[in-house]
Amino acid sequence: MDGLDTRHGWSRRQMGALALGSGMAAMLAPSAGLAQAGPTETAPQPAEPTRLVSAGETLRPEIVGQFGIVAAGRHYACAAGMRLLMAGGNATDAGVAAVFAAAVTEISHFGFGGEAPTMIFDTATNRAVAISGQGTAPALATPDRFAAAGIIPGNGPDAGTVPAVVDAMALALEVNGTKSLAEVMQPAIELADGFVMYNFLAEVFASQQRATSRFADAYRTYYPQGKLPVVGELFRQPSLARTLRTIAQADAAVLAQGGDRLAAIRAGRDAFYTGDIARRIGAAVERDGGAMRYADLASYRGKVEEPLRASVFGHEVLKCGWWSQGPALLMALNIAEAAGIAQMEPGSARYLHTLAEAIKLAFDDRNAFFGDPDFVAVPGDALLSKDYARARAAQIGPRASVAHRYGDPWAIEGGTRPVAFVPRRLTPPAGPTADTTAIEVVDAAGNLFSCTPSSGWLLGGAYIAGDTGVPLSNRMTIFDLDPTSPNVLAPGKRPRTTLSPTLVLKDGKPHLAIGTPGGDNQDQQIANVLLRTMAYGQPLQAAIEAPRINSNHFHGSFGAKVDAPGELEIEDRVPAEVRQELTAMGHKLDVLGPYGVSTGIVAAGVAPGMTTLRGGADVRRERYVFGW
């Protein structure tokens, strides 16, 4: 429906007709719903164009097109992705280029030695895949190593799982790409040679100078001669540029000798994991007292897996496996659907209460039952079953729960029941945790790419391995040290990561790629948005900008595993009377600013019922979306 200009009662479509000089007589006729001016009356004048009001207006426009759309953290990543689309690449080529560009330019949140869990939908085969993109614990990383401290550090030479970005992006290109590794890395190489420093990153550099000074290689790389980056100046990373070129040149050399694209991609990947780069990383970490060695990189292999799925609200939502928190989104949506949330008014107290309680139940189960299935048995069929969702939904009462309520999926799953793990808060103080970025791409054919890259961040002090320019991961701290936990640390194991790319299908066809930074918030925030688009048919950008909630009830993933039973963050755009109702229900509200939840949703996909494309980006952070 066209929005109305409230001063004249004219629709934007009618105003457009006026601007074009056509249809004026029809618009001013009685049949158009406007009174004719009398002989002494002056006809109403059209509004000045910048003052037109749209009923569906959002702070940012929803991007539409038919060529391709890239949604990402920064403009540099968006530009790298669009560059590959314009060069004839598909969504995967564009997504991989954007990930590499982000690893160079978004180092506040994500660096080249981090992680990149990825999901891809290929329209040619009508198949979706999940690429683990989550590094494993080094061989020397055991619970005994950290027992005395009682906690795993989030920064420094012992904080990192094996770097997974290069492997994950190589696998993505093998599965669904069309371009060479060198081609998709070219924008990142140019950015490593120098990109214009922007304000947000400059502020992070300033705030983390002291923390990073603990790590000599990182300090020399990021603060040459002790100087802070200046907004508007070129920021150069020559060591990282050299590493990127080594990978790209190995790929190009195979192609120059007549080798095929897949062999070239693998050669580029191996230049990182089995060549001199890996040796220098391993030597630097050993010198600095960390656990990672060359052998950990040389033996690392990521996986291409079948996604987990849930059919909810007439759509199919796809997530990565039990080594991620992704299935908690599927569980929360299943529980909310079973609780009848689709029949509630979106944004009402009853709706928000139901969503919050569904999230709490799902994420308590995340902590109790999720872990790398290569190491532990996960009752996955039961956790994702509709019977289990109905049983959990029945636990949602009129009052907010302040207890951790863990389910009993083994009663449905059957088999050998392991020793029950009870999550708990750790007493040692933990360091700060940083964040993540997200990259979502759709191309003209409807191929989807969703990636949530992270780690190698500046917060708490970046750790760079020797002269490689590669900041290493911060993901080890997600592991538990309790031997009864399915997420207990073990060599070669993936931590139960918070990184959580998402695909949505409608009638088996590509619909949406969506993701966000935010750690434990990620799948909660995706749930906030998907409920509005799937259950209520709201436009994508409007759903992204709608007021949000975020639960801090369950134990967090990082550091000391802090919980805050019953605490619910809520943006103050939720009406005061709704907030009062929620408080009366027992929710402990933490009222934030109008767009205060720590999130930054980006999304791209196919418009509902059409073959055209759409994309959206959050206003809560500096997010970017572009395409046509």
Side-chain angles (χ1 to χ4, degrees):
M1 182 179 179
D2 289 333
L4 295 179
D5 180 272
T6 55
R7 288 166 297 279
H8 302 295
W10 294 351
S11 74
R12 296 185 72 177
R13 182 174 296 168
Q14 290 170 319
M15 291 301 299
L18 269 180
L20 293 171
S22 63
M24 182 178 292
M27 288 178 61
L28 297 180
S31 60
L34 297 176
Q36 288 182 305
T40 61
E41 295 176 323
T42 303
Q45 297 299 306
E48 196 277 322
T50 61
R51 296 185 179 182
L52 299 180
V53 177
S54 167
E57 192 165 357
T58 48
L59 292 176
R60 301 183 66 156
E62 186 167 306
I63 299 297
V64 296
Q66 59 182 342
F67 176 74
I69 294 173
V70 180
R74 295 298 311 184
H75 57 296
Y76 292 119
C78 270
M82 288 306 301
R83 178 170 162 181
L84 264 292
L85 288 178
M86 293 175 69
N90 65 11
T92 296
D93 300 317
V96 172
V99 169
F100 282 137
V104 176
T105 61
E106 296 180 43
I107 46 182
S108 53
H109 295 74
F110 163 55
F112 196 70
E115 305 90 32
T118 301
M119 301 189 75
I120 295 169
F121 185 86
D122 182 354
T123 56
T125 61
N126 211 42
R127 183 191 175 206
V129 299
I131 296 171
S132 62
Q134 173 55 65
T136 55
L140 295 177
T142 64
D144 287 346
R145 184 179 182 91
F146 304 101
I151 199 167
I152 302 173
N155 298 87
D158 252 345
T161 50
V162 176
V165 173
V166 176
D167 178 84
M169 295 302 97
L171 285 174
L173 289 178
E174 289 184 30
V175 166
N176 184 242
T178 67
K179 298 295 186 180
S180 70
L181 191 55
E183 287 175 296
V184 298
M185 293 188 77
Q186 186 56 35
I189 291 170
E190 295 170 12
L191 290 164
D193 285 338
F195 69 89
V196 178
M197 178 58 59
Y198 54 93
N199 184 70
F200 176 85
L201 184 56
E203 289 181 352
V204 174
F205 269 113
S207 69
Q208 300 306 308
Q209 184 174 19
R210 182 176 179 181
T212 302
S213 68
R214 296 177 295 156
F215 309 119
D217 293 324
Y219 196 76
R220 281 192 296 270
T221 300
Y222 287 159
Y223 304 92
Q225 291 83 50
K227 295 179 180 177
L228 285 170
V230 176
V231 175
E233 290 185 352
L234 283 182
F235 182 72
R236 306 179 192 276
Q237 300 173 77
S239 296
L240 180 58
R242 184 169 59 250
T243 293
L244 298 178
R245 284 193 169 90
T246 299
I247 298 167
Q249 287 164 0
D251 170 88
V254 173
L255 293 175
Q257 294 167 8
D260 66 21
R261 191 180 70 91
L262 296 184
I265 290 169
R266 290 165 188 159
R269 178 227 177 260
D270 289 347
F272 182 83
Y273 287 95
T274 64
D276 184 57
I277 298 169
R279 289 188 179 89
R280 289 175 11 240
I281 290 174
V285 174
E286 182 175 10
R287 176 202 68 197
D288 294 338
M292 194 181 302
R293 300 290 184 268
Y294 168 77
D296 295 308
L297 286 96
S299 62
Y300 176 73
R301 292 289 184 277
K303 293 186 175 186
V304 179
E305 303 174 343
E306 287 296 317
L308 299 177
R309 301 166 183 255
S311 295
V312 286
F313 307 107
H315 297 72
E316 190 172 29
V317 183
L318 282 61
K319 298 295 289 187
C320 292
W322 299 105
W323 48 268
S324 77
Q325 77 171 355
L329 171 66
L330 306 182
M331 294 169 62
L333 292 174
N334 267 339
I335 295 167
E337 183 180 57
I341 200 170
Q343 284 71 54
M344 302 174 192
E345 180 185 350
S348 66
R350 186 179 172 213
Y351 169 96
L352 294 175
H353 169 73
T354 302
L355 174 57
E357 295 301 294
I359 287 169
K360 288 153 68 172
L361 292 167
F363 278 76
D364 271 342
D365 279 353
R366 178 202 73 172
N367 289 338
F369 302 112
F370 290 18
D372 186 344
D374 291 343
F375 286 75
V376 295
V378 179
D381 290 343
L383 288 169
L384 293 182
S385 70
K386 296 297 185 181
D387 285 345
Y388 188 74
R390 283 189 287 271
R392 295 296 263 162
Q395 295 180 264
I396 299 176
R399 299 276 306 166
S401 173
V402 293
H404 293 298
R405 297 181 291 175
Y406 306 106
D408 186 12
W410 288 107
I412 297 174
E413 188 85 9
T416 303
R417 184 188 294 264
V419 176
F421 167 62
V422 179
R424 61 187 179 87
R425 183 187 296 208
L426 305 181
T427 53
T433 58
D435 219 330
T436 301
T437 189
I439 291 160
E440 318 299 322
V441 186
V442 63
D443 64 23
N447 293 302
L448 298 177
F449 177 95
S450 179
C451 182
T452 312
S454 188
S455 283
W457 54 55
L458 270 164
L459 189 63
Y463 175 80
I464 287 178
D467 63 353
T468 63
V470 177
L472 295 189
S473 161
N474 310 81
R475 200 60 48 174
M476 283 282 291
T477 189
I478 283 184
F479 278 117
D480 292 321
L481 296 176
D482 186 329
T484 65
S485 170
N487 185 43
V488 65
L489 171 62
K493 185 176 181 179
R494 292 171 288 186
R496 195 273 302 135
T497 187
T498 55
L499 307 177
S500 201
T502 309
L503 297 180
V504 182
L505 308 181
K506 176 68 173 173
D507 301 324
K509 301 298 182 184
H511 180 67
L512 195 66
I514 184 170
T516 181
D520 292 305
N521 302 359
Q522 288 179 30
D523 283 298
Q524 297 191 61
Q525 296 312 304
I526 294 170
N528 272 265
V529 175
L530 288 186
L531 272 174
R532 288 180 174 273
T533 62
M534 296 191 308
Y536 301 97
Q538 291 185 1
L540 178 60
Q541 186 65 34
I544 290 172
E545 293 185 15
R548 308 253 195 95
I549 59 169
N550 188 77
S551 176
N552 294 323
H553 170 86
F554 51 88
H555 289 272
S557 297
F558 297 90
K561 321 294 185 185
V562 173
D563 63 335
E567 184 176 287
L568 186 67
E569 295 177 349
I570 189 166
E571 292 177 339
D572 65 9
R573 288 180 297 139
V574 175
E577 58 271 21
V578 172
R579 302 200 306 267
Q580 290 165 4
E581 286 186 65
L582 290 170
T583 299
M585 291 176 176
H587 295 279
K588 301 174 184 177
L589 297 189
D590 179 7
V591 181
L592 308 177
Y595 298 92
V597 169
S598 179
T599 180
I601 291 275
V602 285
V606 180
M610 303 181 187
T611 58
T612 54
L613 312 178
R614 61 176 179 164
D618 219 326
V619 297
R620 291 169 177 84
R621 294 201 189 179
E622 296 182 347
R623 304 287 98 181
Y624 290 80
V625 58
F626 188 67
W628 60 86

